[in-house]
Amino acid sequence: MELYSLTISEARSLLDRREITAKELVNSITARIDTVEDRIKSFVTVTKEHAFHASEEAQKKIGKETKMLLGIPFAIKDNICTKDILTTCSSKILFNLMPLYESTVTSRLKEEGYILIGKANMDEFAMGSSTENSGFHITRNPWDIERSPGGSSGGPAAAVSADECIAALGSDTGGSIRQPSAFCGVVGLKPTYGRISRYGLIAFASSLDQIGPITKDVRDSAILMNIISGHDPLDSTSAPIQVPDFTSILGKDIKGLKIGVPKEYFIKGIDSEVEILVKDAIRQLELIGAIPIEVSLPHTDYAISAYYIIATSEASSNLARYDGMKYGLRTEGKDLIDTYMKTRAYGFGAEVKRRIMLGTYALSAGYYEAYYKKAQQVRTLIKEDFDRVFKKVDIIVTPTTPTPPFKLGEKIEDPLQMYLSDIFTISVNLAGVPAISIPCGFTKNDLPVGLQIIGKHFDEETILKVAYAYEQSTEWHKRKPNL
Amino acid sequence: MKISREEIEHIALLSRLYLSEEEKELYGSQLSRILDYMEKLNELDTKDVEPTSHVLPLCNVMRDDILRPSIPKENALANAPDHTDKFYRVPKIIE
């Protein structure tokens, strides 16, 4: 077995037993990047020199300090600020941004001794579902390089899948961790809104954005949740709620656990292979003790409309700060307003411009009530759907995506078709509940399919417990793309 | 719902985005189609529904007013496209 294919827990025990060194692990990962990165292009920036140096420092501490991530290489999505290391959000408007401070999540990974191997590619400002909207280059799916890795965290998910890192952090506003994780055959968790500090996450839609782990198995997801969760005085939207030990729940049985299967998620338009594999997964959960119950989330059909009004409205406000004055790109114009307009016209890509305009329109005088307020009211109805169902069941299971990974170029000309590919993930963000995507099989063409497990507010424990139980009873997570 | 050319130009100005003629055309038709799809929300009666701005039961989070170190001036200016030794340099605002 090659070192680059290790999980966090495997690497930890080999490092601690002195069977491998941190330097060997980093060398293995960088050699892997040299071999596959030309085809996959997961990264905006590879921090090789930094990683070599960090691995030497880490090796000195191994055996002396008990730190969970000491010597372990990570990819970090390029919208998470890393001090003095280029952070671009995959946007030309931030082509040269060297953050002045470290995000809380990467500070916490640092405290545990992690090694940054690179900043991973994404749809510009996390707007997109295919990573084709990166301002720099597209990322390809390791399972089929003609296909999209999903988005917006396509870079981190592809990097984990292609073994270009041991684990990664992404962000999820409408499915941006779960959909690429499903497309790349890895494990991606979007925690409860408020579970994790967003200090240092470059904002897209502030009432929806959440950071979470992308990993090779469920145990690693729990390990990272232990490290990055919890209240942070620097983010007033992080909740002052106790963080449990997420790893201690792994391995507990799921007998008698009630799993809701929402009928609105098994409808016409869903790919037949996806439907079969997800139904097989539900049967597998039943086999190991869970009780499936059909439930209804009646407002599911309205989620995309509500989401794209709320997310674009918030984005139009958040992205007003990119004016070419304090950082990033400036394109000089004949006066101040001309400079603003040229800077933003040149610095932003097509999808970002489209969303800024949609959001500006929805918030503009005369339309606010009809669009933004209406969408927020529908959001309430969607949240109440979940509240109602969670009185009857412990978790909800659905497909993560309606189709297997789609071809690059297939949806990029039609923004509405691209938005519709998020149909199964966005309700979760509107309701603020946590959800994980785990591999649940492969299509005849050997493309991965994801199972989404949704939990109650602040109950990541139950979804991790179920995900782990399912994973332990299957072999899907052990399959690797042929690169 | 068809968004007129005047509306697109107005939104682009509010958004501080310079658009080419082709972009005005393209975004006009794309936004019209997206907004048509969003009309779906009007199928729902939301007369007595409270809007949700975010899902956390948090409001007015306060902290003590304690002095903390600031970012040094030279660091704060380091990312700026144009600056003097003390200030950001911006295009002329007042004629």
Side-chain angles (χ1 to χ4, degrees), chain B residues 33-51:
Chain B
R33 245 193 97 209
I34 293 166
L35 289 168
D36 276 344
Y37 178 82
M38 287 169 175
E39 286 299 313
K40 198 175 176 56
L41 293 182
N42 294 325
E43 292 168 11
L44 294 172
D45 178 10
T46 52
K47 194 159 53 73
D48 299 318
V49 180
E50 280 293 313

Side-chain angles (χ1 to χ4, degrees), chain A residues 234-420:
Chain A
L234 297 174
D235 175 5
S236 61
T237 64
S238 69
I241 284 181
Q242 194 75 32
V243 179
D245 174 5
F246 294 106
T247 55
S248 67
I249 194 102
L250 305 179
K252 300 232 164 97
D253 79 57
I254 62 164
K255 281 200 180 64
L257 197 105
K258 295 192 191 104
I259 56 175
V261 182
K263 59 180 186 215
E264 292 82 4
Y265 284 65
F266 294 88
I267 38 152
K268 225 168 61 191
I270 176 174
D271 178 88
S272 62
E273 283 189 277
V274 170
E275 183 171 4
I276 290 166
L277 288 168
V278 169
K279 286 187 169 162
D280 283 351
I282 294 167
R283 262 190 295 279
Q284 179 64 22
L285 287 169
E286 197 176 359
L287 212 64
I288 57 176
I291 305 164
I293 297 168
E294 189 184 271
V295 296
S296 173
L297 296 164
H299 296 94
T300 300
D301 218 14
Y302 301 94
I304 287 187
S305 300
Y307 172 84
Y308 276 96
I309 290 169
I310 291 167
T312 58
S313 295
E314 293 182 10
S316 72
S317 164
N318 272 328
L319 271 62
R321 73 190 66 176
Y322 303 104
D323 58 4
M325 298 300 137
K326 300 197 207 63
Y327 42 76
L329 179 83
R330 179 189 294 180
T331 306
E332 299 287 347
K334 63 181 191 300
D335 53 23
L336 184 69
I337 193 157
D338 196 41
T339 300
Y340 289 155
M341 292 182 70
K342 284 189 171 137
T343 296
R344 290 162 64 84
Y346 184 70
F348 290 137
E351 180 61 21
V352 172
K353 288 182 203 172
R354 195 152 41 229
R355 293 200 195 189
I356 289 174
M357 289 207 294
L358 187 57
T360 302
Y361 180 81
L363 292 178
S364 64
Y367 294 108
Y368 172 82
E369 297 260 326
Y371 289 105
Y372 191 63
K373 190 176 170 209
K374 182 85 184 177
Q376 286 191 312
Q377 288 172 314
V378 174
R379 182 176 188 178
T380 303
L381 298 176
I382 289 166
K383 183 178 173 290
E384 287 171 354
D385 281 356
F386 281 95
D387 292 344
R388 208 175 307 114
V389 167
F390 277 131
K391 287 194 179 118
K392 288 188 287 193
V393 300
D394 301 296
I395 54 155
I396 296 169
V397 295
T398 76
T400 308
T401 61
T403 66
F406 47 79
K407 286 226 160 102
L408 289 162
E410 190 179 315
K411 295 180 196 282
I412 197 72
E413 299 300 328
D414 187 346
L416 188 56
Q417 279 309 311
M418 191 72 93
Y419 297 173
L420 292 171

